[in-house]
Amino acid sequence: MRVSRGTARLCLAVLVAICGAAQASRGEQRPVAERPTMDYAPPAAGSYRLNVIQPAPDGLVVAADGRFRSLAEYTRGRVTLLSLIYTYCTEPTGCALAYETEVELKSRVVADRKLHGRVRFVSLSFDPVNDDYRSMQAYGGRNARGDGPLPWFFLAARNVKELRPILEGFDQEIEVERDRLGRPTRTISHMLKLFLIDRNGMVREIYSTAFLHPEAMLNDIKTLVMEEDAQR
């Protein structure tokens, strides 16, 4: 059976629309996060020092335009908050919590003009099988912007081989869960971690689920910025 050009174009348009809707739904169906209780008053910014923990690893990542970049381009030159996530995560205390915490923290950073141009956020997927650079942009939605007072980059990895040294460098363990027949699912077991990295690419703090408090994290960011200013 022959298909007219008009019909072919219509089918292609429908397919593109379906794919686009599927990509966008990753962000729209993000589960409601369960916030940890904060039962302490964080110390004032600049009243303490964040020790150097380790250098942030480098590796090849895929940027918003589909081009390959060095991860170091996103972990040096500014104070960086980096999260390791995947878009199909359904755990309320997992990736959804990381995203919502960063959204709230972003509003606080943007509200402080002294931090404009000094901070960036990075979200990197550890699921190269299901997350490409397009799905990461869809997941980030309107927050996926590389400009403005606080850029937020949503990055992907091309394959497991290129992702592995990054995960090993951050000591991030992941395990793909399997169904009762032993087939891999889209669920990945992992411990949520966010990394605060100084402008020299050194990890200065690691946040787990229980410590994702925007107030304390903002003071940590300010502390690193104040440290930079004191060294100039």
Side-chain angles (χ1 to χ4, degrees), residues 1-20:
M1 179 181 68
R2 297 188 63 183
V3 179
S4 68
R5 292 184 179 179
T7 301
R9 284 195 294 268
L10 177 60
C11 291
L12 179 60
V14 171
L15 179 60
V16 169
I18 292 173
C19 291

mmCIF file with all atom_site columns, all heavy atoms in Angstrom, residues 1-20:
data_model
loop_
_atom_site.group_PDB
_atom_site.id
_atom_site.type_symbol
_atom_site.label_atom_id
_atom_site.label_alt_id
_atom_site.label_comp_id
_atom_site.label_asym_id
_atom_site.label_entity_id
_atom_site.label_seq_id
_atom_site.pdbx_PDB_ins_code
_atom_site.Cartn_x
_atom_site.Cartn_y
_atom_site.Cartn_z
_atom_site.occupancy
_atom_site.B_iso_or_equiv
_atom_site.pdbx_formal_charge
_atom_site.auth_seq_id
_atom_site.auth_comp_id
_atom_site.auth_asym_id
_atom_site.auth_atom_id
_atom_site.pdbx_PDB_model_num
ATOM 1   N N   . MET A 1 1  ? 0.849  -1.190 0.000  1.00 0.00 ? 1  MET A N   1
ATOM 2   C CA  . MET A 1 1  ? 0.000  0.000  0.000  1.00 0.00 ? 1  MET A CA  1
ATOM 3   C C   . MET A 1 1  ? 0.879  1.233  0.000  1.00 0.00 ? 1  MET A C   1
ATOM 4   O O   . MET A 1 1  ? 1.815  1.341  0.807  1.00 0.00 ? 1  MET A O   1
ATOM 5   C CB  . MET A 1 1  ? -0.901 0.018  1.232  1.00 0.00 ? 1  MET A CB  1
ATOM 6   C CG  . MET A 1 1  ? -1.797 1.237  1.305  1.00 0.00 ? 1  MET A CG  1
ATOM 7   S SD  . MET A 1 1  ? -2.834 1.231  2.792  1.00 0.00 ? 1  MET A SD  1
ATOM 8   C CE  . MET A 1 1  ? -1.602 1.456  4.044  1.00 0.00 ? 1  MET A CE  1
ATOM 9   N N   . ARG A 1 2  ? 0.588  2.162  -0.879 1.00 0.00 ? 2  ARG A N   1
ATOM 10  C CA  . ARG A 1 2  ? 1.355  3.392  -0.957 1.00 0.00 ? 2  ARG A CA  1
ATOM 11  C C   . ARG A 1 2  ? 0.749  4.429  -0.013 1.00 0.00 ? 2  ARG A C   1
ATOM 12  O O   . ARG A 1 2  ? -0.467 4.556  0.114  1.00 0.00 ? 2  ARG A O   1
ATOM 13  C CB  . ARG A 1 2  ? 1.367  3.930  -2.390 1.00 0.00 ? 2  ARG A CB  1
ATOM 14  C CG  . ARG A 1 2  ? 2.036  2.988  -3.380 1.00 0.00 ? 2  ARG A CG  1
ATOM 15  C CD  . ARG A 1 2  ? 2.190  3.634  -4.722 1.00 0.00 ? 2  ARG A CD  1
ATOM 16  N NE  . ARG A 1 2  ? 3.059  4.805  -4.630 1.00 0.00 ? 2  ARG A NE  1
ATOM 17  C CZ  . ARG A 1 2  ? 3.329  5.598  -5.667 1.00 0.00 ? 2  ARG A CZ  1
ATOM 18  N NH1 . ARG A 1 2  ? 2.776  5.353  -6.848 1.00 0.00 ? 2  ARG A NH1 1
ATOM 19  N NH2 . ARG A 1 2  ? 4.132  6.631  -5.519 1.00 0.00 ? 2  ARG A NH2 1
ATOM 20  N N   . VAL A 1 3  ? 1.633  5.169  0.652  1.00 0.00 ? 3  VAL A N   1
ATOM 21  C CA  . VAL A 1 3  ? 1.199  6.214  1.573  1.00 0.00 ? 3  VAL A CA  1
ATOM 22  C C   . VAL A 1 3  ? 1.566  7.566  0.990  1.00 0.00 ? 3  VAL A C   1
ATOM 23  O O   . VAL A 1 3  ? 2.700  7.767  0.537  1.00 0.00 ? 3  VAL A O   1
ATOM 24  C CB  . VAL A 1 3  ? 1.884  6.047  2.956  1.00 0.00 ? 3  VAL A CB  1
ATOM 25  C CG1 . VAL A 1 3  ? 1.450  7.152  3.901  1.00 0.00 ? 3  VAL A CG1 1
ATOM 26  C CG2 . VAL A 1 3  ? 1.560  4.679  3.536  1.00 0.00 ? 3  VAL A CG2 1
ATOM 27  N N   . SER A 1 4  ? 0.610  8.474  0.949  1.00 0.00 ? 4  SER A N   1
ATOM 28  C CA  . SER A 1 4  ? 0.866  9.788  0.387  1.00 0.00 ? 4  SER A CA  1
ATOM 29  C C   . SER A 1 4  ? 1.844  10.562 1.253  1.00 0.00 ? 4  SER A C   1
ATOM 30  O O   . SER A 1 4  ? 2.025  10.275 2.439  1.00 0.00 ? 4  SER A O   1
ATOM 31  C CB  . SER A 1 4  ? -0.439 10.586 0.280  1.00 0.00 ? 4  SER A CB  1
ATOM 32  O OG  . SER A 1 4  ? -0.924 10.911 1.568  1.00 0.00 ? 4  SER A OG  1
ATOM 33  N N   . ARG A 1 5  ? 2.490  11.570 0.653  1.00 0.00 ? 5  ARG A N   1
ATOM 34  C CA  . ARG A 1 5  ? 3.446  12.376 1.412  1.00 0.00 ? 5  ARG A CA  1
ATOM 35  C C   . ARG A 1 5  ? 2.750  13.102 2.560  1.00 0.00 ? 5  ARG A C   1
ATOM 36  O O   . ARG A 1 5  ? 3.294  13.253 3.645  1.00 0.00 ? 5  ARG A O   1
ATOM 37  C CB  . ARG A 1 5  ? 4.117  13.386 0.484  1.00 0.00 ? 5  ARG A CB  1
ATOM 38  C CG  . ARG A 1 5  ? 5.040  12.754 -0.550 1.00 0.00 ? 5  ARG A CG  1
ATOM 39  C CD  . ARG A 1 5  ? 5.739  13.815 -1.364 1.00 0.00 ? 5  ARG A CD  1
ATOM 40  N NE  . ARG A 1 5  ? 6.649  13.224 -2.332 1.00 0.00 ? 5  ARG A NE  1
ATOM 41  C CZ  . ARG A 1 5  ? 7.377  13.922 -3.187 1.00 0.00 ? 5  ARG A CZ  1
ATOM 42  N NH1 . ARG A 1 5  ? 7.300  15.259 -3.175 1.00 0.00 ? 5  ARG A NH1 1
ATOM 43  N NH2 . ARG A 1 5  ? 8.182  13.318 -4.034 1.00 0.00 ? 5  ARG A NH2 1
ATOM 44  N N   . GLY A 1 6  ? 1.529  13.554 2.291  1.00 0.00 ? 6  GLY A N   1
ATOM 45  C CA  . GLY A 1 6  ? 0.787  14.259 3.334  1.00 0.00 ? 6  GLY A CA  1
ATOM 46  C C   . GLY A 1 6  ? 0.504  13.362 4.520  1.00 0.00 ? 6  GLY A C   1
ATOM 47  O O   . GLY A 1 6  ? 0.661  13.753 5.674  1.00 0.00 ? 6  GLY A O   1
ATOM 48  N N   . THR A 1 7  ? 0.121  12.103 4.226  1.00 0.00 ? 7  THR A N   1
ATOM 49  C CA  . THR A 1 7  ? -0.151 11.154 5.307  1.00 0.00 ? 7  THR A CA  1
ATOM 50  C C   . THR A 1 7  ? 1.119  10.827 6.067  1.00 0.00 ? 7  THR A C   1
ATOM 51  O O   . THR A 1 7  ? 1.127  10.722 7.292  1.00 0.00 ? 7  THR A O   1
ATOM 52  C CB  . THR A 1 7  ? -0.756 9.861  4.732  1.00 0.00 ? 7  THR A CB  1
ATOM 53  O OG1 . THR A 1 7  ? -1.964 10.181 4.046  1.00 0.00 ? 7  THR A OG1 1
ATOM 54  C CG2 . THR A 1 7  ? -1.050 8.870  5.846  1.00 0.00 ? 7  THR A CG2 1
ATOM 55  N N   . ALA A 1 8  ? 2.229  10.673 5.358  1.00 0.00 ? 8  ALA A N   1
ATOM 56  C CA  . ALA A 1 8  ? 3.506  10.363 5.997  1.00 0.00 ? 8  ALA A CA  1
ATOM 57  C C   . ALA A 1 8  ? 3.931  11.490 6.920  1.00 0.00 ? 8  ALA A C   1
ATOM 58  O O   . ALA A 1 8  ? 4.410  11.268 8.037  1.00 0.00 ? 8  ALA A O   1
ATOM 59  C CB  . ALA A 1 8  ? 4.583  10.116 4.941  1.00 0.00 ? 8  ALA A CB  1
ATOM 60  N N   . ARG A 1 9  ? 3.741  12.740 6.427  1.00 0.00 ? 9  ARG A N   1
ATOM 61  C CA  . ARG A 1 9  ? 4.111  13.885 7.260  1.00 0.00 ? 9  ARG A CA  1
ATOM 62  C C   . ARG A 1 9  ? 3.245  13.940 8.511  1.00 0.00 ? 9  ARG A C   1
ATOM 63  O O   . ARG A 1 9  ? 3.710  14.264 9.602  1.00 0.00 ? 9  ARG A O   1
ATOM 64  C CB  . ARG A 1 9  ? 3.996  15.180 6.459  1.00 0.00 ? 9  ARG A CB  1
ATOM 65  C CG  . ARG A 1 9  ? 5.128  15.407 5.463  1.00 0.00 ? 9  ARG A CG  1
ATOM 66  C CD  . ARG A 1 9  ? 5.150  16.835 4.980  1.00 0.00 ? 9  ARG A CD  1
ATOM 67  N NE  . ARG A 1 9  ? 3.967  17.154 4.196  1.00 0.00 ? 9  ARG A NE  1
ATOM 68  C CZ  . ARG A 1 9  ? 3.895  17.040 2.870  1.00 0.00 ? 9  ARG A CZ  1
ATOM 69  N NH1 . ARG A 1 9  ? 4.941  16.599 2.203  1.00 0.00 ? 9  ARG A NH1 1
ATOM 70  N NH2 . ARG A 1 9  ? 2.792  17.359 2.222  1.00 0.00 ? 9  ARG A NH2 1
ATOM 71  N N   . LEU A 1 10 ? 1.957  13.606 8.368  1.00 0.00 ? 10 LEU A N   1
ATOM 72  C CA  . LEU A 1 10 ? 1.045  13.617 9.505  1.00 0.00 ? 10 LEU A CA  1
ATOM 73  C C   . LEU A 1 10 ? 1.456  12.564 10.528 1.00 0.00 ? 10 LEU A C   1
ATOM 74  O O   . LEU A 1 10 ? 1.476  12.815 11.727 1.00 0.00 ? 10 LEU A O   1
ATOM 75  C CB  . LEU A 1 10 ? -0.386 13.356 9.037  1.00 0.00 ? 10 LEU A CB  1
ATOM 76  C CG  . LEU A 1 10 ? -1.452 13.257 10.149 1.00 0.00 ? 10 LEU A CG  1
ATOM 77  C CD1 . LEU A 1 10 ? -1.504 14.558 10.930 1.00 0.00 ? 10 LEU A CD1 1
ATOM 78  C CD2 . LEU A 1 10 ? -2.816 12.931 9.546  1.00 0.00 ? 10 LEU A CD2 1
ATOM 79  N N   . CYS A 1 11 ? 1.806  11.360 10.045 1.00 0.00 ? 11 CYS A N   1
ATOM 80  C CA  . CYS A 1 11 ? 2.230  10.292 10.948 1.00 0.00 ? 11 CYS A CA  1
ATOM 81  C C   . CYS A 1 11 ? 3.500  10.683 11.704 1.00 0.00 ? 11 CYS A C   1
ATOM 82  O O   . CYS A 1 11 ? 3.643  10.422 12.902 1.00 0.00 ? 11 CYS A O   1
ATOM 83  C CB  . CYS A 1 11 ? 2.475  9.002  10.172 1.00 0.00 ? 11 CYS A CB  1
ATOM 84  S SG  . CYS A 1 11 ? 0.951  8.272  9.502  1.00 0.00 ? 11 CYS A SG  1
ATOM 85  N N   . LEU A 1 12 ? 4.436  11.326 10.980 1.00 0.00 ? 12 LEU A N   1
ATOM 86  C CA  . LEU A 1 12 ? 5.677  11.752 11.611 1.00 0.00 ? 12 LEU A CA  1
ATOM 87  C C   . LEU A 1 12 ? 5.397  12.794 12.678 1.00 0.00 ? 12 LEU A C   1
ATOM 88  O O   . LEU A 1 12 ? 5.969  12.760 13.774 1.00 0.00 ? 12 LEU A O   1
ATOM 89  C CB  . LEU A 1 12 ? 6.634  12.314 10.557 1.00 0.00 ? 12 LEU A CB  1
ATOM 90  C CG  . LEU A 1 12 ? 7.979  12.833 11.086 1.00 0.00 ? 12 LEU A CG  1
ATOM 91  C CD1 . LEU A 1 12 ? 8.729  11.709 11.786 1.00 0.00 ? 12 LEU A CD1 1
ATOM 92  C CD2 . LEU A 1 12 ? 8.807  13.399 9.931  1.00 0.00 ? 12 LEU A CD2 1
ATOM 93  N N   . ALA A 1 13 ? 4.487  13.714 12.363 1.00 0.00 ? 13 ALA A N   1
ATOM 94  C CA  . ALA A 1 13 ? 4.147  14.757 13.331 1.00 0.00 ? 13 ALA A CA  1
ATOM 95  C C   . ALA A 1 13 ? 3.520  14.163 14.584 1.00 0.00 ? 13 ALA A C   1
ATOM 96  O O   . ALA A 1 13 ? 3.811  14.571 15.705 1.00 0.00 ? 13 ALA A O   1
ATOM 97  C CB  . ALA A 1 13 ? 3.193  15.779 12.704 1.00 0.00 ? 13 ALA A CB  1
ATOM 98  N N   . VAL A 1 14 ? 2.657  13.167 14.397 1.00 0.00 ? 14 VAL A N   1
ATOM 99  C CA  . VAL A 1 14 ? 2.024  12.499 15.541 1.00 0.00 ? 14 VAL A CA  1
ATOM 100 C C   . VAL A 1 14 ? 3.065  11.793 16.383 1.00 0.00 ? 14 VAL A C   1
ATOM 101 O O   . VAL A 1 14 ? 3.048  11.846 17.619 1.00 0.00 ? 14 VAL A O   1
ATOM 102 C CB  . VAL A 1 14 ? 0.943  11.507 15.065 1.00 0.00 ? 14 VAL A CB  1
ATOM 103 C CG1 . VAL A 1 14 ? 0.458  10.658 16.239 1.00 0.00 ? 14 VAL A CG1 1
ATOM 104 C CG2 . VAL A 1 14 ? -0.216 12.250 14.436 1.00 0.00 ? 14 VAL A CG2 1
ATOM 105 N N   . LEU A 1 15 ? 4.014  11.103 15.719 1.00 0.00 ? 15 LEU A N   1
ATOM 106 C CA  . LEU A 1 15 ? 5.060  10.387 16.432 1.00 0.00 ? 15 LEU A CA  1
ATOM 107 C C   . LEU A 1 15 ? 5.926  11.345 17.238 1.00 0.00 ? 15 LEU A C   1
ATOM 108 O O   . LEU A 1 15 ? 6.250  11.086 18.406 1.00 0.00 ? 15 LEU A O   1
ATOM 109 C CB  . LEU A 1 15 ? 5.935  9.609  15.435 1.00 0.00 ? 15 LEU A CB  1
ATOM 110 C CG  . LEU A 1 15 ? 7.106  8.819  16.034 1.00 0.00 ? 15 LEU A CG  1
ATOM 111 C CD1 . LEU A 1 15 ? 6.595  7.782  17.023 1.00 0.00 ? 15 LEU A CD1 1
ATOM 112 C CD2 . LEU A 1 15 ? 7.914  8.150  14.929 1.00 0.00 ? 15 LEU A CD2 1
ATOM 113 N N   . VAL A 1 16 ? 6.284  12.466 16.650 1.00 0.00 ? 16 VAL A N   1
ATOM 114 C CA  . VAL A 1 16 ? 7.091  13.462 17.349 1.00 0.00 ? 16 VAL A CA  1
ATOM 115 C C   . VAL A 1 16 ? 6.343  13.995 18.556 1.00 0.00 ? 16 VAL A C   1
ATOM 116 O O   . VAL A 1 16 ? 6.890  14.172 19.632 1.00 0.00 ? 16 VAL A O   1
ATOM 117 C CB  . VAL A 1 16 ? 7.482  14.615 16.407 1.00 0.00 ? 16 VAL A CB  1
ATOM 118 C CG1 . VAL A 1 16 ? 8.086  15.773 17.189 1.00 0.00 ? 16 VAL A CG1 1
ATOM 119 C CG2 . VAL A 1 16 ? 8.451  14.127 15.339 1.00 0.00 ? 16 VAL A CG2 1
ATOM 120 N N   . ALA A 1 17 ? 5.031  14.250 18.378 1.00 0.00 ? 17 ALA A N   1
ATOM 121 C CA  . ALA A 1 17 ? 4.216  14.766 19.476 1.00 0.00 ? 17 ALA A CA  1
ATOM 122 C C   . ALA A 1 17 ? 4.137  13.765 20.618 1.00 0.00 ? 17 ALA A C   1
ATOM 123 O O   . ALA A 1 17 ? 4.233  14.118 21.793 1.00 0.00 ? 17 ALA A O   1
ATOM 124 C CB  . ALA A 1 17 ? 2.815  15.106 18.980 1.00 0.00 ? 17 ALA A CB  1
ATOM 125 N N   . ILE A 1 18 ? 3.972  12.474 20.256 1.00 0.00 ? 18 ILE A N   1
ATOM 126 C CA  . ILE A 1 18 ? 3.900  11.438 21.283 1.00 0.00 ? 18 ILE A CA  1
ATOM 127 C C   . ILE A 1 18 ? 5.208  11.347 22.046 1.00 0.00 ? 18 ILE A C   1
ATOM 128 O O   . ILE A 1 18 ? 5.238  11.277 23.275 1.00 0.00 ? 18 ILE A O   1
ATOM 129 C CB  . ILE A 1 18 ? 3.554  10.073 20.650 1.00 0.00 ? 18 ILE A CB  1
ATOM 130 C CG1 . ILE A 1 18 ? 2.108  10.095 20.117 1.00 0.00 ? 18 ILE A CG1 1
ATOM 131 C CG2 . ILE A 1 18 ? 3.723  8.955  21.663 1.00 0.00 ? 18 ILE A CG2 1
ATOM 132 C CD1 . ILE A 1 18 ? 1.739  8.854  19.337 1.00 0.00 ? 18 ILE A CD1 1
ATOM 133 N N   . CYS A 1 19 ? 6.329  11.380 21.327 1.00 0.00 ? 19 CYS A N   1
ATOM 134 C CA  . CYS A 1 19 ? 7.636  11.299 21.977 1.00 0.00 ? 19 CYS A CA  1
ATOM 135 C C   . CYS A 1 19 ? 7.871  12.504 22.868 1.00 0.00 ? 19 CYS A C   1
ATOM 136 O O   . CYS A 1 19 ? 8.381  12.390 23.986 1.00 0.00 ? 19 CYS A O   1
ATOM 137 C CB  . CYS A 1 19 ? 8.754  11.207 20.925 1.00 0.00 ? 19 CYS A CB  1
ATOM 138 S SG  . CYS A 1 19 ? 8.759  9.645  20.012 1.00 0.00 ? 19 CYS A SG  1
ATOM 139 N N   . GLY A 1 20 ? 7.472  13.679 22.353 1.00 0.00 ? 20 GLY A N   1
ATOM 140 C CA  . GLY A 1 20 ? 7.638  14.887 23.145 1.00 0.00 ? 20 GLY A CA  1
ATOM 141 C C   . GLY A 1 20 ? 6.822  14.842 24.407 1.00 0.00 ? 20 GLY A C   1
ATOM 142 O O   . GLY A 1 20 ? 7.273  15.237 25.481 1.00 0.00 ? 20 GLY A O   1
#
